[in-house]
Amino acid sequence: MVEPEHRASAAQRLGAQETLGISTLDPGHRPPTMPPGRHVSIKIRMLDDTEEVFDVSQRASGKVVFDLVCTHLNLVEGDYFSLEYQDHHKMMVREDKNTHTVLRFVVKFFPPDHTQLLEELTRYLFALQVKHDLACGRLACNDSSAALLVSHIIQSEIGDFEESQSRQHLLNNSYIPDQVALIDRIMEFHSKNVGQTPAESDYQLLEVARRLELYGVRLHPAKDREGSKLSLAVAHTGVLVFQGHTKINAFNWSKVRKLSFKRKRFLIKLRPDLNSSYQDTLEFLMGSRDCCKVFWKICVEYHAFFRLFEEPKPKPKPVLFTRGSSFRFSGRTQKQVIDYVKDSEFKKIPFESARTVVSNSPHLSVSSGNSQGMVNGQKPVELCGHSPDGRQPSPLTSPLLNDAGSVRTDDEDEVRRKVCELSLSLCVCVSSQSFQNLVGKDDAAPDSLKSTIFSNFDPLYKFHSGFLREVEQRLALWEGRSNAHIKGDYQRIGDVMLKNLQGLKPLTAHLQKHSEALVELEKACRGSRRLEVLVRDFELQKVCYIPLNVFILRPLHRLLHYKQILERLCKHYPPTHVDFRDCRAALADVSEVVAQLHGSMIKMENFQKLLELKKDLIGIDSLVTPGREFIRLGCLSKLSGKGLQQRMFFLFNDVLLYTSRGMTATNQFKVHGQLPLHDMTIRESEDEWGVPHAFTLVGQRQSVVVAASSLSEMEKWMEDIKMAIDLAETSNGHTADLLARSLTDNKSTTEDSCAEAESEDDLMASRTSLERQAPHRGNTTVHVCWHRNTSVSMVDFSIAVENQLSGNLLRKFKNSNGWQKLWVVFTNFSLFFYKTHQDDYPLASLPLLGYSVTIPTESENIHKDYVFKLHFKSHVYYFRSESEYTFERWMEVIRSATVSASSTRILSRKEPHPY
């Protein structure tokens, strides 16, 4: 490794002049009183934490002084910067030549894309600002992002990774609060930055930082009309509203008609919008009139700098009366700055040779260096970081995919979000990999099981990991470029899809053998009590939030997601689009693979469902038998001598089982009887028994009267049972022996007495048993249907496989004021809530069977865009998405779970499957 060069401070390295300047000051504070006399001493703390003292004329304006600072630093793009007070209290400077007014040189305007900064010196100063914001806790972020940011900082300062040097440097210097706990993560990221020059490290630092929600945000305390504590901020896009560190609202400049203040009230007047539920004028209460006025001025400046083409002309002063503030933005706009730098022919001083960081601050480091590993003096910039646990960061919350605010068309945005969805579908499941590791280490697993799992899953795991890496790199390039001529080369995904899906074809044999993994696992569990306990205990862990067998089938499910995304892209692109041909070719390839696996998918989905149901049932010997197909499960009320009793019914292609949930510690359902479908008839009997939604099942040896919870439920059950009866008639009348060990064919009358004995007291006791710790999962689909008094079919499960989604959502309860930002995963008819995408297990879950999804009404006072409402009886939840596209996607997939599929889609073995 090259020895680090000693670097000069920012003030020293480019030549010094004896002048300095001031622009805008710290929000909420008025300028201090200047001492009398001809000169005053002003101390400036630079971004590298060095200090310079300057004597300036007492009458020198802030703009004059600030312009001298920029000249002093040879800073061409100085319009992005300003000076603010070092102390947050008003200062009275005494008439003492040794007393200095202390100001800090800071970044004022944060552009959406750091590539809009044309000078390397400017980017370097921005990197120092990010470093300072991290150190003081202003740039709050998750641990992984913080560690990644620090890794780029120390790469710029000490060069390539060397373990002992890197660890010692981190122990001696603090970059973030609570840094000690993240040292190992930082070092892991640092080891991947080999060869990055300081300039490249600054680029990567800004590339990561600009995606963070709090990048460039300066919070101003406020309250809403209800008195809830909030914070206001302003960015290039408009005015932002935060609750804590979570952004809960944003008012784009295009929607804002007027910003004003009246005493302590800050007012936002919106443009009329018939499709919006916002009030015409929003009001926020700030700490004082001064605070309100300062924030208003900052908003005026941000709007002018980023939205106007040129500096606004001052209005003429009225002769007699004045109304309102005469404050106007003065200075060049961003467009003027960019045009000036591009058109100027000034001589740029080489910056790399003198680039250094010298600091006496305990929060900022003191040494730096250059790096080796370059080819021809350059090294490709690494655009995609890795999370410290080896998993790729999720794209919708990783720094690569948060909206950077750059100007893009609606079409570009929709395509980008489709690609984001692709990246989400690529994320390899944590639990299946965790179980694979567990099986490999435990002696209870037979060699045949280990061989099947490792030989089939390892190649697929490596393939999807590489695929994900390429997609995220393309997304990084897609987001990281601002020049139009470069953008077109990266804003496409078809070539990456085509390359990888062609590479998937040789792995088709491994995908076809997933059924063997399911069979081997089931057989091994039957033969080893220890392995059975191992699997059961693993499924009870938080990390395994859905049945293990579902995780095993995820690589097959992922093919369907690729196919859906490519279909949406091909539908969205015009035939002349540069990405259309590759997307269409990739769609043909993945469709071919899906067609080859069509039969295997049907069999494995059915086999997996039978295995899952087997764990929920007791009192049955042979649920999993060749030729048996699951059709529907759900709640029906069975008519007995004591009235209607809630029962759980399970419909297969040869038999209908009915069960009750007893007072067992395992939360399982006990089989009470069976109705063979051969020669069965079914008829409506609401008028006959006087029970709403009732129908009668007439079997060979007994008849059963049941009632559904609604007309739609009755219609679904009757249609499915009629179809199952037809299937049973065409299958040579074969019915397996399904009676429980405690039941025989001639004990149907005994069943009624047993069922009647389990009255309401037993059912209430069984419900409370769910709250106790039990060695069986109490949140399966069967249990949800039992509590919600609903049903679900195999077609519903197939649709759910196709409709899976994850991303950030803001959640609000019915009676709460604030919104909570969560990483949400929709799968298996449920929403799973995580604090961040990097968490291994969910904080909570919400099964959606029985819920309705709608849009809030005007009376609910949810004045936000892109909000949908989930409600079941008195349970109400509101969720807010980040854009119109994601809102529509969430509504689409959630409706697939809350609106049961028409049973006309249930198909026999002779018909094509929905896959």
Side-chain angles (χ1 to χ4, degrees), residues 194 272 284 324 346 728 784:
V194 174
F284 298 91
F346 56 85
V784 175

Side-chain angles (χ1 to χ4, degrees), residues 184-208:
D184 290 337
R185 284 193 183 188
I186 296 171
M187 291 176 61
E188 182 175 352
F189 284 139
H190 185 198
S191 66
K192 298 174 182 178
N193 296 336
V194 174
Q196 282 187 5
T197 65
E200 290 170 339
S201 297
D202 287 349
Y203 183 95
Q204 290 301 316
L205 177 69
L206 297 176
E207 182 69 22
V208 174

Side-chain angles (χ1 to χ4, degrees), residues 463 498-511 559 585-586 588-593 596:
F463 166 79
L498 180 61
K499 170 192 170 185
N500 283 277
L501 290 176
Q502 288 177 343
L504 180 64
K505 289 183 177 180
L507 300 176
T508 305
H510 295 291
L511 292 167
L559 294 177
D589 286 340
V590 73
S591 299
E592 179 183 345
V593 175
Q596 292 177 7

Side-chain angles (χ1 to χ4, degrees), residues 433 436 448-464 504 506-518 520 552 555 604:
Q433 186 68 13
Q436 182 177 346
S448 59
L449 176 62
K450 294 180 180 179
S451 175
T452 301
I453 289 180
F454 286 108
S455 63
N456 291 319
F457 281 83
D458 277 353
L460 293 171
Y461 180 84
K462 293 177 182 177
F463 166 79
H464 284 99
L504 180 64
L507 300 176
T508 305
H510 295 291
L511 292 167
Q512 290 174 331
K513 291 182 180 179
H514 272 55
S515 58
E516 296 180 12
L518 290 176
E520 284 292 335
I552 292 177
M604 281 187 278

